[in-house]
Amino acid sequence: MKKSGILYSKEELEQRIAQIGAQITKDYQDKNLVLLCVLKGAFMVFSDLAKCIDLDAEIEFITLSSYEFTKSSGKVTLKGEFNIDLEGKDVLIVEDILDTGNTLSFLKEFLKDKAESVKIFSLFTKDKSDLKLDYTGFKIDDEFIVGYGLDCDQKYRNLPYVAILEEA
Ligand code: IMP
Ligand code: MG
């Protein structure tokens, strides 16, 4: 496996995230915002997005898994216990990428009776799932991307930009 050139630079990512952060700030003025980071993939966008939201938001983390190498196993599981009290809270799920929709469908269903409202931000979408995103950064082709939190076999997450992964 090798990665190709840059698909989105650090600057392009940051600019788009700042726009969405400003929109979220407007939309959640009178709400009790909880930003929920879906680990591990969203860790980098989560940090940048949170800094662009000018509200007293609570910060929470959840770990799910569905991917093995570059193929979705289709089976989504929650890692560890979930004991965050979301009663009366407006949860914004922060995810790296929407692919088949298995992960986010599972999470939305899991949270829906636990919170006042549940919305979804995903930095990228491959636009092939019926799941509705409330906020999204970029539509991409059906390719496997890495960097800026996204991995292949746990590597490339620390790249400050996003690249397409290609067969060697
Ligand atoms: P879904 O459940 O098929 O929508 O997959 C969502 C999860 O798979 C994301 O949270 C990512 O962790 C991972 N994933 C999907 N597509 C990619 C990709 O192109 N690069 C890296 N990870 C991906
Ligand atoms: Mg993920």
Side-chain angles (χ1 to χ4, degrees), residues 31-151:
K31 309 260 186 199
N32 298 311
L33 177 60
V34 176
L35 292 170
L36 181 63
C37 177
V38 185
L39 293 171
K40 300 175 187 172
F43 86 98
M44 224 180 251
V45 62
F46 186 79
S47 163
D48 284 345
L49 180 68
K51 285 178 275 185
C52 296
I53 297 174
D54 190 13
L55 295 170
D56 290 332
E58 292 177 36
I59 302 296
E60 295 289 355
F61 298 89
I62 193 169
T63 305
L64 302 172
S65 69
S66 75
Y67 253 66
E68 274 160 34
F69 208 50
T70 62
K71 291 267 178 326
S72 175
S73 67
K75 238 178 42 197
V76 181
T77 51
L78 181 70
K79 286 196 187 165
E81 271 177 49
F82 185 88
N83 45 26
I84 308 166
D85 183 7
L86 297 174
E87 210 182 313
K89 302 288 169 71
D90 298 290
V91 178
L92 181 61
I93 298 167
V94 178
E95 173 64 309
D96 51 0
I97 188 163
L98 173 65
D99 186 357
T100 63
N102 287 335
T103 305
L104 284 170
S105 303
F106 166 85
L107 187 54
K108 200 165 185 192
E109 184 62 28
F110 179 78
L111 295 173
K112 82 173 196 296
D113 297 329
K114 297 181 170 63
E116 180 68 24
S117 70
V118 180
K119 290 197 172 181
I120 305 175
F121 163 99
S122 178
L123 180 59
F124 297 104
T125 175
K126 294 186 187 172
D127 210 20
K128 62 183 192 190
S129 158
D130 290 337
L131 191 104
K132 182 183 157 288
L133 293 173
D134 299 283
Y135 304 95
T136 187
F138 305 94
K139 280 184 189 168
I140 62 163
D141 292 338
D142 193 7
E143 282 171 303
F144 200 83
I145 59 171
V146 293
Y148 198 66
L150 293 129
D151 74 308

